[in-house]
Each structure stands twice: as C-alpha cells, then as structure tokens.
C-alpha cells in the first residue's frame, strides 16, 4: 500500500518505519527541514532502539521510505496517517492546533484527488475529535463527502517509548475505529503482516479506548505509589507486597513499580486532557483521575523532602542527579520527574551535576543555566553530598558506584540490601 504519514515525531517515525519494513511504500511528511533531511539520510532525528538501523535500511537499501516537506505528496498515496503532536494548553486541555492544520492540509490536497483516499488519525485526541473537528475540516477543505470520496478512521497507538518498534511489530491489540467500513478494511490492510487481535469499532469508542488505556496505566502507578507510602510508614517493603499481589491473575505485576511517579509526553498530558474535557464539556469532574494526578504531583518531589531530612538546608549542597529522561532507553525529557527536581534543587540554592546516557542534549535545551552536565555517572557522583537516582538506566544499577555516598533511589534501581552495605541508601518510598 502507498502510505503518507503526517508528522515525524516518535509515533510518526515509528509508524513510518514499521510500515516500510512491512513492505508498504511510505512518505513521511513534516514541516521541520532538519528532520526531513536527517530521515532522507537514513538517520533518525530521535533516539529509539532499532530505529536508526531500520531507517537506514528502508531509506538506503529497500528505498521504500522517504521524508518530504510537501503535503502534495499525499496525492501519490492511498492512505494518510495523522501522527502530529497534541500537547497540553496551560489549563490542561488538549491543543488540537497541529491536528486541525494537518486535516486542513490533507483536505486541501484531496480536493485534487480523483480516487477514494483514507485519512486515519493516530494522534491521541479527545473523544469526539474525529467526528466534530477532523471530518468537518476534511469536507470543508476538499469539497468532498467523507464516507463517499474520503474514508476516515481512528487508529490509536499503544507504543511505549524505548520499545516502540517492538510494540509496533508485536502489539497486544490493534484497534480500528472506522467511520466507514471501506476505510476500516483498507486500514486493516496496513497491518496484514502483523499477528494480533484486532478490534473494530466506531471512531469515538476507539478514541476513548486510547484515553482509558493511559488513564488505567497512570492509575496503577499512583495506586502503587500510595500503597508504597503507607508501606514505608509501616516499615514494609512495597516491592515484596507487589510480589505477593502479582500471583492474583486479576492483578498481575505490570506497571506496579513504585517510585517517583510517571512522566513522559503521554500519561500526564493525556490524563490532564481527559479530566479537563470531562469536567468542562461533560460536567463530570472525574475525581479518581484527579487524585491520580495529585498523588503523582506529590510523589515527584518526595525525593527532595528526603534529601532535606538527611542533609538539612539544601543551600550550598552538592547533588549528583543520575538520569534526566522520563524513563530509561529514551532521550525524551518531556514531563520528566528529574527536570522538576533539578529546578527545585537549584531554587533551594543547591548545585547540580547531572548525567544521562542519552537525554543530555534535550535536557540542556530546557533546564535553566547552572546545571553542570557530566560525561559519566562517576564524574557526577565524585565530590557530591547526595546522589539522586531519577531514571533506572542499567548503567546506574551497579551498587559499587556509590561507595560511601548518600544515595536516594527514586526508581528502585539498586538492590537495597547490597546498596545499604556500601552506602547510606534510602529508597523514595521503601
Ligand atoms: C505510555 C503508554 O505506556 C503507552 O501504552 C502509550 O502508547 C504511550 O504512553 C502513548 O500514549 O503514546 P510512554 O509514555 O512511552 O508510554 O511510557 P511508559 O512506559 O508508560 O512510562 C510512563 C512513566 O511511568 C515513566 O516515567 C515511567 O518511569 C513511569 N512508570 C511506569 C512508573 O513509575 N512505574 C511503573 O510501574 C511503570
């Protein structure tokens, strides 16, 4: 199939590379020239395991993937996948600016296309967006009828950064929300080579499945952090409690790692958007989901409270911050708990030496001046008064790195028993 992907961010690039790997002919359209140039040289503009190799193969060897600045390239394709960002507005509501712009541009181009074309949204959008926003824009700018000349579908992505390609090729499920059946059939054709349960439904249900999925994952994390905080006061290890829980098949052991809480470009933003849309548009204040956000907000700064208990006034204290990415195996620092903690430490007059194996450039771009970026964990740790482990990269898991130091572990990166034998070790909630 001939596929156009609109947006070369994490989701767009992984989708484009995944489709090309599966034999489709793909053009990835983005307005950022540096990204387009990088892709056309077979190099990924972002860090994601396996993506560089796959892009280099599809662009350079197979020749079935290219990037472009021109939306008119949509004309040579059968299906367009909208994969643009949907960031938060300052009040937490979803910003659909890029989605609207994509729909306008696609509509404009499709006004000139004779054959039926399918438009699929993969960006996370508030339920109702496809029918209330995307379809009207496509019809307005193309002058054509959706359901007749243009097919429309919503196809949520469930990719986790750091293992996004694996998740693309081995998904737990494929959800196809179809406005018209023909669009759903054509979209299903993209995934022909992938073996996974496929659930076909209407577009608004598919949009809600995406939100419900992220809201549930976030709820699991805040739930276990709340249990961990209670356990900590009792002197009970929450990780042992989770082991005991996990034998119940209804509960399992996934997404129950207690620590400094969830960050990233999805869980916090999507939860805020769902709470905002539910409260303002539907009149339902979503108290449980608000509590999930509140627990996460408080959890993120517990590590600073512990440091204050251990060191007293933080003014003039020297911190080593290990890990800046919101989780390991990515260079993404969006809504990363580490960034918030670094800002608070600086406000309190502490000095910060930071290290992350992949996320330093992205962190440098958003952190205030005053942070010293190091070339290794050892360099950051040397001469520090206190080490904070903010991301559980494998290279931080070596207890011998911390000999004689005060260490506060936000991610259960270390084995507490081994660490306590070597340093002054404290888990954030264990
Ligand atoms: C999340 C979802 O997991 C994906 O299914 C979804 O497709 C994606 O958002 C999206 O909407 O695009 P992602 O943001 O890549 O994926 O990251 P997660 O693996 O979900 O981790 C989110 C945060 O939760 C991280 O900061 C992680 O450290 C934290 N976390 C995760 C915990 O604190 N405890 C856990 O047990 C698991």
């Amino acid at each position: 199939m001939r596929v156009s992907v609109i947006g070369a961010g994490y989701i767009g690039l992984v989708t484009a590379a995944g489709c090309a790997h599966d034999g489709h002919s793909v053009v990835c359209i983005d307005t950022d020239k540096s990204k387009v140039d990088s892709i056309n040289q077979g190099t990924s503009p972002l860090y994601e395991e396996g993506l560089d190799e796959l892009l280099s193969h599809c662009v350079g060897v197979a020749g079935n993937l290219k990037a472009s600045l021109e939306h008119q390239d949509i004309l040579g394709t059968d299906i367009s996948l909208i994969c643009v960002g949907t960031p938060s507005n300052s009040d937490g509501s979803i910003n659909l600016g890029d989605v609207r712009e994509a729909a306008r541009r696609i509509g404009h181009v499709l006004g000139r296309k004779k054959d039926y074309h399918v438009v699929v949204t993969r960006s996370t959008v508030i339920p109702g967006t496809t029918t209330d926003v995307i379809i009207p824009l496509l019809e307005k700018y193309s002058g054509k009828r959706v359901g007749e000349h243009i097919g429309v579908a919503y196809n949520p992505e469930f990719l986790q950064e750091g293992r996004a390609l694996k998740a693309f090729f081995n998904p737990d499920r494929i959800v196809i929300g179809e406005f018209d059946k023909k669009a759903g059939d054509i979209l299903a054709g993209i995934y022909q080579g992938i073996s996974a349960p496929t659930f076909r439904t209407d577009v608004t249900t598919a949009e809600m499945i995406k939100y419900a999925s992220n809201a549930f994952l976030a709820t699991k994390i805040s739930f276990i952090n709340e249990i961990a905080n209670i356990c900590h006061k009792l002197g009970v290890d929450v990780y042992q409690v989770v082991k005991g829980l996990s034998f119940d098949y209804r509960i399992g052991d996934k997404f129950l790692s207690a620590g400094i809480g969830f960050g990233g470009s999805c869980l916090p933003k999507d939860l805020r958007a769902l709470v905002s849309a539910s409260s303002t548009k539907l009149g339902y204040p979503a108290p449980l989901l608000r509590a999930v956000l509140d627990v996460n907000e408080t959890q993120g700064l517990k590590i600073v409270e512990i440091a204050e208990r251990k060191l007293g006034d933080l003014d003039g204290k020297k911190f080593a911050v290990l890990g800046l990415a919101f989780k390991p195996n990515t260079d993404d620092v969006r809504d990363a708990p580490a960034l918030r903690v670094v800002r608070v430490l600086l406000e309190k007059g502490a000095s910060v030496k930071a290290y992350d194996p992949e996320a330093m450039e992205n962190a440098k771009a958003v952190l205030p001046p005053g942070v010293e970026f190091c070339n290794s964990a050892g360099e950051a740790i040397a001469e520090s008064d206190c080490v904070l482990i903010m991301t559980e990269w494998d290279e931080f898991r070596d207890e011998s790195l911390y000999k004689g130091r005060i260490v506060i572990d936000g991610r259960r990166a270390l084995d507490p028993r081994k660490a306590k034998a070597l340093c002054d070790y404290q888990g954030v909630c264990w």
Side-chain angles (χ1 to χ4, degrees), residues 150-327:
I150 300 175
V152 161
Y154 182 76
N155 173 220
E157 52 79 22
F158 302 103
L159 308 173
Q160 271 182 283
E161 285 182 24
R163 54 179 310 278
L165 279 172
K166 283 185 198 133
F168 184 90
F169 295 119
N170 301 290
D172 292 335
R173 79 295 211 189
I174 294 167
V175 174
I176 292 179
E178 57 202 36
F179 181 81
D180 53 315
K181 184 175 175 306
K182 189 172 170 187
D185 289 344
I186 292 175
L187 173 57
I190 284 197
Y191 297 113
Q192 228 168 25
I194 290 173
S195 145
T198 300
F199 179 59
R200 288 177 70 159
T201 182
D202 62 88
V203 284
T204 310
T205 306
E207 289 166 337
M208 190 62 208
I209 289 170
K210 169 68 191 193
Y211 273 96
S213 170
N214 276 2
F216 186 65
L217 293 171
T219 304
K220 286 185 92 172
I221 299 168
S222 278
F223 164 80
I224 204 59
N225 282 336
E226 180 139 303
I227 295 292
N229 295 338
I230 299 172
C231 286
H232 196 202
K233 289 194 181 292
L234 291 168
V236 168
D237 181 2
V238 65
Y239 278 77
Q240 290 297 310
V241 171
V242 169
K243 252 189 201 155
L245 282 178
S246 67
F247 295 102
D248 186 329
Y249 74 96
R250 295 168 304 174
I251 300 176
D253 63 353
K254 300 288 184 292
F255 262 66
L256 290 172
S257 298
I260 45 174
F262 56 83
S265 64
C266 305
L267 301 191
K269 163 185 83 83
D270 293 349
L271 225 64
R272 287 194 291 261
L274 185 57
V275 167
S276 165
S278 178
S279 322
T280 59
K281 293 200 180 134
L282 308 173
Y284 179 69
L288 175 64
L289 300 182
R290 279 174 196 269
V292 168
L293 283 168
D294 288 347
V295 169
N296 197 53
E297 185 78 10
T298 318
Q299 200 70 15
L301 288 184
K302 275 203 178 323
I303 203 155
V304 180
E305 285 167 30
I306 297 173
E308 277 173 328
R309 278 206 297 277
K310 278 189 175 291
L311 305 171
D313 188 354
L314 299 188
D315 193 11
K317 299 290 187 309
K318 293 180 269 185
F319 279 86
V321 172
L322 300 188
L324 297 165
F326 79 97
K327 66 175 190 180

Side-chain angles (χ1 to χ4, degrees), residues 373-425:
F373 292 93
C374 299
N375 293 316
S376 67
E379 189 186 327
I381 294 168
E383 292 167 34
S384 64
D385 297 314
C386 183
V387 183
L388 306 182
I389 306 179
M390 302 299 294
T391 315
E392 67 278 33
W393 286 97
D394 276 347
E395 64 179 85
F396 301 157
R397 291 187 183 277
D398 174 3
E399 285 81 11
S400 67
L401 271 174
Y402 309 95
K403 223 168 168 183
R405 301 280 163 195
I406 297 177
V407 179
I408 313 175
D409 187 350
R411 293 292 188 191
R412 188 71 159 219
L414 306 184
D415 176 333
R417 205 177 39 83
K418 285 190 199 156
K420 278 179 183 162
L422 291 169
C423 60
D424 178 350
Y425 175 86

